[in-house]
Amino acid sequence: PDKRQVDWLLTMAEVPAHLLSVLRYLELQGLITDGALPSADDLIAMPDPVPADLLERELRRLEKLPEEHLLILEMAAQCGQSFDGADVAAGLGEPRMTVLSRLRQIELTDGLIEDRDEDDRFSFLMRTSRQALCQRTLARRSAAAAGGEGIAELARAFHAQVADSLRERFYGESPGEGRSVSGEKIYRHLSKAGPARAKQAPDWALVAAQQAAQLFSWKRAGFWADKASDEIARPTELQQDQIRFIQAQVLFADGGQAQRDEARELFKDLIESPHVDARQALLTWFEIAYEEKQRSYLEELQGSFAALKARQWPEPYMAETVAFYEILVEGFMQPRGDANTLATVE
């Protein structure tokens, strides 16, 4: 393992016995392949593992629950530590109110989940419970390969139906009002819905990136934009430009000099794209170049103004943006003196 992997292991396990529990947990989750640990980035992104002895104790406790409760809980665990009752209902193909009634019964009798907002949103009370349920599904999936229960097919069908329900709700909302359905959630369900449906997931990574950018969550926007860039097999021109635009925004927000330089080049390349906010690309290109006050950047702008002014911009304020920055740059590049300053102001 590299240093970052070792650091993660040391953070998770203070004594050798804990380290063995962590490694066993990773093995049970199928995350150790050919004796190799997951990458450091994957380790850091995953939830804290539950010690093996606690996991086994919780598994024994789950075995005592009614089978109909276990099925709902296992499918809910597929959705995350917190989950929407409507998503579980969609995945199971059952009426929403029927599933909500069962979830509230589970809440009262089994003490594993809690309805925190008196609505559709539930949470597992303990991480241990959710990870034990996920482990139970994995164990039954292994049994299915040997002719046992078909939980693997059920789990894939569940994720496919949740994804379909979420997509229907996504497209039914008005973009102008801000969509409440998470592209990230759709991506995660499609990626677990079997090989054929998983091919549709990367397009939703781009949606997740756009939603994160709208919230100015630049770290998350960068993560999902990079994922979309890596996973979309044949991106369209629209997708390429939208990914690059988000990556440029992330680089600009980061604030480092190298990142700002890269962002400046990306924004400059995108000012003619019909697929992004061209005015924002133009304005940010000018802003970075002017704020740096480097002569080479300002000379580059000076050499661009004539062609930019000659363009037929889709909106008049884009031409005004060009004219504004032309005045700023010309004034800055002139020799200092009262006469030159007065001429620039006029």
Side-chain angles (χ1 to χ4, degrees):
D2 63 28
K3 183 179 183 303
R4 293 175 68 210
Q5 290 171 312
V6 171
D7 289 344
W8 183 87
L9 288 171
L10 293 175
T11 301
M12 292 296 107
E14 297 178 356
V15 298
H18 291 172
L19 177 59
L20 290 174
S21 291
V22 170
L23 291 173
R24 185 175 180 188
Y25 168 80
L26 294 174
E27 185 177 30
L28 287 171
Q29 294 291 321
L31 298 174
I32 296 180
T33 55
D34 299 326
L37 289 169
S39 70
D41 289 336
D42 288 340
L43 287 173
I44 292 168
M46 70 181 293
D48 295 347
V50 174
D53 55 341
L54 293 181
L55 193 64
E56 290 170 2
R57 189 184 309 163
E58 190 67 10
L59 283 167
R60 288 194 298 270
R61 178 188 175 201
L62 292 174
E63 291 300 329
K64 299 175 183 177
L65 299 182
E67 186 62 32
E68 61 271 19
H69 287 195
L70 275 172
L71 176 61
I72 288 183
L73 287 169
E74 279 192 59
M75 295 302 102
Q78 296 288 314
C79 296
Q81 188 68 26
S82 296
F83 57 92
D84 288 321
D87 291 344
V88 178
L92 292 171
E94 296 190 19
R96 170 175 165 271
M97 293 308 298
T98 299
V99 171
L100 286 176
S101 176
R102 290 180 187 169
L103 287 170
R104 293 203 168 94
Q105 183 182 358
I106 292 170
E107 178 184 9
L108 293 172
T109 60
D110 302 329
L112 295 173
I113 59 175
E114 181 179 18
D115 180 2
R116 297 184 182 278
D117 58 5
E118 299 299 325
D119 201 350
D120 281 16
R121 191 76 176 164
F122 290 80
S123 295
F124 286 98
L125 290 174
M126 297 186 298
R127 263 187 322 108
T128 311
S129 300
R130 190 231 164 186
Q131 292 196 16
L133 287 160
C134 290
Q135 178 55 42
R136 190 174 189 277
T137 303
L138 282 173
R140 292 172 66 189
R141 187 174 296 169
S142 299
E149 299 173 83
I151 191 68
E153 290 74 16
L154 176 60
R156 285 197 291 267
F158 173 84
H159 286 295
Q161 291 183 172
V162 174
D164 289 342
S165 173
L166 289 169
R167 290 199 300 185
E168 184 178 343
R169 285 159 51 194
F170 179 89
Y171 289 121
E173 293 180 337
S174 170
E177 297 173 358
R179 290 190 168 110
S180 62
V181 178
S182 163
E184 178 178 340
K185 186 188 286 188
I186 297 174
Y187 173 94
R188 296 198 185 282
H189 283 291
L190 283 173
S191 66
K192 298 176 182 177
R197 300 300 297 275
K199 293 178 182 177
Q200 303 168 11
D203 290 343
W204 291 95
L206 176 53
V207 174
Q210 291 168 327
Q211 290 176 329
Q214 289 169 357
L215 297 173
F216 307 106
S217 179
W218 298 120
K219 184 176 181 180
R220 199 153 198 81
F223 171 83
W224 285 105
D226 290 345
K227 184 174 279 291
S229 179
D230 292 340
E231 294 185 7
I232 297 177
R234 294 183 179 85
T236 63
E237 180 183 290
L238 179 147
Q239 289 174 320
Q240 288 176 331
D241 285 357
Q242 290 181 339
I243 290 170
R244 293 169 67 219
F245 185 72
I246 294 171
Q247 289 173 330
Q249 290 178 299
V250 171
L251 288 164
F252 178 55
D254 185 87
Q257 184 60 55
Q259 289 84 348
R260 286 171 64 86
D261 289 345
E262 189 175 349
R264 178 174 53 84
E265 291 300 317
L266 282 170
F267 282 125
K268 182 174 70 173
D269 291 342
L270 288 166
I271 62 172
E272 297 186 25
S273 170
H275 308 304
V276 300
D277 185 344
R279 191 217 178 199
Q280 184 62 43
L282 179 74
L283 185 61
T284 315
W285 169 35
F286 285 171
E287 181 181 338
I288 296 172
Y290 182 74
E291 283 184 353
E292 294 295 332
K293 299 294 192 296
Q294 289 193 30
R295 252 194 122 68
S296 60
Y297 294 172
L298 297 178
E299 288 170 353
E300 178 187 52
L301 289 182
Q302 280 184 312
S304 304
F305 285 136
L308 292 172
K309 287 194 297 183
R311 284 191 55 179
Q312 295 297 314
W313 294 102
E315 300 291 344
Y317 51 67
M318 296 185 73
E320 293 167 2
T321 300
V322 174
F324 175 73
Y325 270 93
E326 183 180 29
I327 293 171
L328 289 180
V329 172
E330 292 298 331
F332 185 83
M333 296 291 279
Q334 285 184 14
R336 294 292 178 264
D338 291 343
N340 290 328
T341 301
L342 180 60
T344 300
V345 171
E346 290 176 350

